[in-house]
Amino acid sequence: MARKPRAGRAFDIRNFRARVDQDLADELEFHFEATIEDLVRSGFSPEEAEAEALRRFGDRDRHLENLRVAYRGAVRRRVWRERTIDLVRGIALVLRGLRRSPGFTIAAVATLALGIGANATMFGIVDRLLLRAPDHVDRPDDVGRVFVQREARPGTIFTGATHTYPDIRDWDAAATLAGLATYQNWGELTLGRGPGARRVAATVADARLFPVLGARPALGRFYSEVEDRRGGPPVAVLGHELWTTAFGADREVLGRVIELDGRSLTVIGIAPPGFTGAELRRTDVWLPLLSVGVEISETNLESRGDWWLRAIVRLTAGATRETAAAELTTLHRAGRAQDTQSYDPEARVIIAPLIAARGPDGSTEASVSLWLSGVALVVLLIACANVANLFLARGTRRARENAVRLSLGAPTSRLLGGVLMESAVIAALAAVAATLLSMFAGDLARRVLLPGIHWTGSGIDGRVGLVTVAVALAAGMLAGVAPAWHSVRTEVAGVLRGADGRSTTRRSLLLNTLLVVQPALSVVLLVGAGLFVRSLSEVRGIDLGFEPESLYLVSVESDTRTSELLERAIPRLEGLPVVERAAAAFGTPFRNSWSERFGVPDRDSLPDLEGGGPYLNAVTEGFLPTLGIEIVAGRGIESGDGAGQPRVAVLGRYLAERLWPGESPLGRCVTVGATDACTTVVGVAEDAHRQSLIEGPEALYYVPLAQHRAELPARALFVRASDEAVDLRATLRSELEGLDAGVRYAAVVPYRDLIDPQARAWTLGATLFSAFGLLAVLVAALGIYSVLAFDVSRRVSEIGIRGALGASGARIAGLVLRDVGFVACVGLALGVGAALLAAPLVEPLLHGVSARDPVVLATVVLALVTVTVCAGLVPAWRATRVDPNVALRAE
Amino acid sequence: MPTSGLKLLQGTLDLLVLQALQQGASHGYAIASWIRATTADRLQIEDGALYTALHRMHRRGWLESEWGLSETNRRARFYTLTAAGRSRLTEDARTWREYAAAVFAVLNSGEARPSSGSA
């Protein structure tokens, strides 16, 4: 039966420990005395009795040792039990208290939960991007990515992540490497054909990728050098996700032949779940580099001018990144010894960590994520400050109770423990809520904001869970420490004399500090949000030179000649009422561009062109109008520019101005490609972006597809919808797949989808900074409101007296607001100062807006002043309603 | 006062102690005396082992202890059975009885050996 814990007296461990051995000694002493007494009574002499008692006891040393062990165990057990009972009682007490003030509880738990949830979510993202190596990599610290740093053009140092095949083979000889593997993202390929076909993400990799990473297949095997060679048997390894979704996780898929881009491949293995190789992108199909990459020509493998492969290495036990990089540098320079003319002889190999975000080509997403983690931390700090405020306000209300307890001799540690226990319980409740929050909202956030990453599982794994608990604990302590300290510092006599604590009119310094910190942090966050929102709108407002809205890109895979098929499709598509215009072209802006030998007769060299080039595109006559690229002089490409007709070209404005500054280029001659024949410039088109949202003017020109079909065939269709509101994806796909029996798959992509990923860093920053900023403001407003409301209730008697002495309502409201106004102003000023100080740090992440943008700063300050005043109005209004009679009677 | 007695089978001591406490609270010496008297001193039990058993069972939560006054008005530690100890006793006693009955059944099956094969 469970004993009732002795009321009011906590279990005293230290005292108990000291008693342990004494207890045992007492027990045995009684035993010996009783034994000897009985023996003497039955006729033993005292000496004999003592000897007999000892004999009966047995091996004294052994038994005493066993006894001590057993006894200590019992003590430990008891200590734990008492502690547990204490804890359970404490928690029960706290929960009872919290149930009595549901408003306080909900506010505190919700505030902390939002703060903790934001941190858990951000940690999940940062963990994936920056802390954790890709899944299934064995001893990831020994694996590195290879970069080559060289002077690409005079004065321009370029750090390349891709390498030529011969350059990679030079490194095979390295003694510091236990393994060297190469791979490349192979874009999307079509699995199957017709309506059931699906696009899958492919990676070509050599057979060494799997052993270098140390990954094991979930089923079957990875390919080896037997398959990964020229003319080797065509095989594929499927990603776990594709295997599950497309093949129902059927184990019989091994040995089955699948159709990929019209080629037949035998499935030999399934990669483990979540395996993404050395990257974080999802891969559905792994293909042997040398046998299946049929688009890979001998030139690709022999040329030292084709940088297209990424390389990873595993170091030998004794090697470091530096020693291995030094050896690879030597090998690299030796391999490039012949072409010192065109190649930087000082080229240097860098071995970067496997975690891509830590390497030289770390993404903007990673640094924005890191920033946002900082932001999440700030939100948490605000939340803690606010909860501390709530605790303080509550603590002041209980000041009298505490003072009485202290004066009756309750130890301070007891009061301290009570307050800390309360914050710990709140933190625990908040951690549970935060976990639920980041499971749903967080999962959504990371999939939407960072879709390029292959997220596996839910938002909560062991690491995130651990961090959540740690953050919750820290937050609970942080929010609880100040109030706890405050509660024990309560001046007993003063509070008791003050009868109910209502007469104290001054807020503590601590409370004021917290009130200042909240608006300050809110300012910092909102300024961040404002800057990112402005950057995003700047980025979205960039004139690309063409109009991407309601424009679709269509590419087709077919067994028949794709280029002919595409050209045939144009009139058919233009016959549809939903289509305004359609065109075909060789190159696709934002996806690929092409450069050919280009010259001007009688000139030895071209002027320097920013961004290289010039880049050409072979287009049908509808291309420029379909994309919305304006003709600024002359004419565009026309249907009359046929195969037998004079060769013509339309130059981009930048190229035209560089070639003939201040003169008209119309009618001039240029040479394109291998032939020296004259190509006449017939028009100038507005500059259009070639591949990036943010790029300088690019040198572009357009030639008629009809005159260049042989070397520059049509590879894509461009379709402009006549109505922006109509989604043409399904229509276009079925239209093209119905065009010819040879069509395996038609991919239709809204043009925005090609461009938007480049704006992702700003989208991410703008979305999350805004979300966190609004959260912070909400929390700060709540804090100001609750403190003021409490102030008013505490100062009721003072306000009553003022009212009785004839102060007007406005005066009284002013009294309440003036105070908070001052505190808020200090906070805002501090926040603006901090934002200005942090400006240089955030500057590189922005676009088209200064980190000290006055508009953003002014807007934020104005918004916060408004919020503060609004938060203060209700309590101020309530103060004016204080009835002097009622207020003074309470005193 | 025999100089030697029967050695205890493994785990028997716990059972004896639990049984001794079934009557109510008792201190170590009283338990030792009771067992000695009840078994007519035929079992060889060292008092040290008895106390070790008491403390071990106390740690396991089968016994509770409390300081009180002995018959001779001296401070002594009294042990009582907990609910867990009581059910342990019931269980162990039943096991022992079944075990002993089985062994007796074999021993009492006559001097003749059991005939093999017949039912």
Side-chain angles (χ1 to χ4, degrees), chain A residues 27 38 56 63 71 77, chain B residues 29 46-48 59 77 79:
Chain A
E27 185 177 14
D38 270 6
R56 284 188 184 178
H63 287 315
Y71 207 118
R77 201 179 115 88
Chain B
Y29 178 66
E46 293 181 340
D47 291 342
R59 186 185 56 192
R77 192 180 169 116
Y79 294 87

